[in-house]
Amino acid sequence: MATQPMPTGELSGNVLFYSKPEPLAKELHSKLGVKRMDGPFGFAKVGHAIPLTVGEFPLSAVTGPIIFVGDEKLPIAVMGLNAGENMFVRDDGTFESGIYIPAYVRRYPFVFANDDANKQMVLCIDRGAEFIVDKGYDMPFFDEQGEPTEYTKNCIEFCNNFEVERQRTMSFVQLLKDMDLFELKTATFTPGNDDGTPGEPQKIAEYFGVSEEKLNALPPAKFVELRDNGALGQIYAHMHSLVGWDRLVALAMTKANEQQTPPKLNS
């Protein structure tokens, strides 16, 4: 994997939040840097479902549901009920107090992208990030000798660590697949009628999660394997996080009442 800025190569793949990724290179970005902002997370307001690494499960579980989506069973942190609406990011670009901010968000505007031509990963920045500027910056990408600054080196290290965790997450998911622990789950919301009786249940989301029944039915040796390699704790963090659907619904109802409009409950 490339850990140094590289200027060449055609990038592939679409990455959430990154509108204009460019390979970081001194030839292109020697006069650019990042300015400090009181609210730097405005870009995350459109992220209602944010990728998560397995090591983040215990911390993220306090904020909301951790679910698995798609054929790859990608783990994500659910941060809103409607596409493009993160309920935990304020209008001023800050997160609500006490909310866990995923590493996927914290690494922005840096990201590794696939360079298919050279069969390697290339460090990129999102040139569309509002806090990347060509003057008045607080943290330049390169020093006067054209070398990456300490800030850039730290960001490279963060992205490297993130990639390691991403690979570990893929192994964790594959282990769950191999043990056939996934099942299709549905999150629902039952509104109340004016007379106090329960209304018609509404489906909020359909996703993959670990089946408690399948987990409990594992042979003792397999269960011990999950315990010894640390996967069991992460599984329980995921399962406990699912009570967070109620929190999201309650928050949506509160926001809707404040706006005097009914909430939309479709992800």
Side-chain angles (χ1 to χ4, degrees):
M1 175 182 297
T3 58
Q4 295 298 320
M6 299 186 63
T8 60
E10 184 175 349
L11 305 181
S12 65
N14 296 318
V15 187
L16 176 66
F17 301 143
Y18 296 79
S19 62
K20 192 179 178 183
E22 295 178 355
L24 183 64
K26 61 183 179 182
E27 294 85 359
L28 298 175
H29 307 123
S30 62
K31 304 297 184 182
L32 298 182
V34 170
K35 67 176 180 178
R36 291 189 176 92
M37 297 178 61
D38 293 334
F41 298 115
F43 66 90
K45 196 164 182 61
V46 299
H48 77 296
I50 298 177
L52 207 62
T53 60
V54 66
E56 299 179 277
F57 280 22
L59 291 172
S60 186
V62 179
T63 293
I66 300 169
I67 65 175
F68 300 84
V69 298
D71 292 338
E72 295 181 354
K73 307 295 191 299
L74 176 71
I76 64 170
V78 180
M79 308 194 85
L81 296 178
N82 300 304
E85 181 183 339
N86 188 322
M87 294 196 294
F88 299 118
V89 179
R90 301 186 181 104
D91 291 336
D92 64 0
T94 60
F95 271 85
E96 297 283 355
S97 178
I99 297 301
Y100 176 73
I101 304 175
Y104 186 98
V105 173
R106 287 182 277 123
R107 71 173 177 171
Y108 186 84
F110 289 86
V111 65
F112 276 123
N114 293 322
D115 177 356
D116 292 336
N118 295 311
K119 304 299 182 183
Q120 60 188 352
M121 302 291 282
V122 178
L123 183 71
C124 297
I125 57 171
D126 183 6
R127 191 62 184 86
E130 64 172 326
F131 43 73
I132 293 181
V133 294
D134 57 9
K135 56 184 176 181
Y137 47 74
D138 300 292
M139 295 159 290
F141 292 131
F142 298 93
D143 60 23
E144 294 179 354
Q145 288 72 45
E147 296 298 321
T149 61
E150 195 66 25
Y151 166 74
T152 301
K153 290 178 182 178
N154 289 338
C155 292
I156 291 173
E157 182 180 4
F158 188 93
C159 287
N160 275 329
N161 291 338
F162 182 88
E163 182 62 22
V164 170
E165 286 299 301
R166 190 183 70 83
Q167 296 291 341
R168 192 164 77 93
T169 301
M170 292 174 62
S171 297
F172 169 77
V173 170
Q174 188 59 51
L175 178 62
L176 301 190
K177 287 181 178 179
D178 292 343
M179 292 189 177
D180 190 29
L181 292 179
F182 284 114
E183 68 176 358
L184 195 62
K185 293 177 177 286
T186 302
T188 60
F189 163 64
T190 303
N193 294 322
D194 293 338
D195 60 4
T197 60
E200 191 70 22
Q202 300 178 25
K203 184 169 71 172
I204 301 173
E206 195 171 74
Y207 61 94
F208 291 102
V210 172
S211 165
E212 184 173 4
E213 181 179 354
K214 290 182 177 182
L215 181 65
N216 292 336
L218 282 177
K222 291 292 186 181
F223 196 86
V224 169
E225 178 185 344
L226 291 176
R227 183 198 67 188
D228 290 349
N229 64 20
L232 189 59
Q234 311 294 12
I235 290 172
Y236 283 140
H238 147 68
M239 295 172 70
H240 293 158
S241 78
L242 299 181
V243 300
W245 285 115
D246 292 337
R247 180 187 184 189
L248 291 183
V249 169
L251 183 58
M253 296 293 290
T254 299
K255 289 180 177 292
N257 290 333
E258 291 173 351
Q259 300 170 0
Q260 295 186 338
T261 56
K264 297 177 297 179
L265 298 175
N266 59 325
S267 60

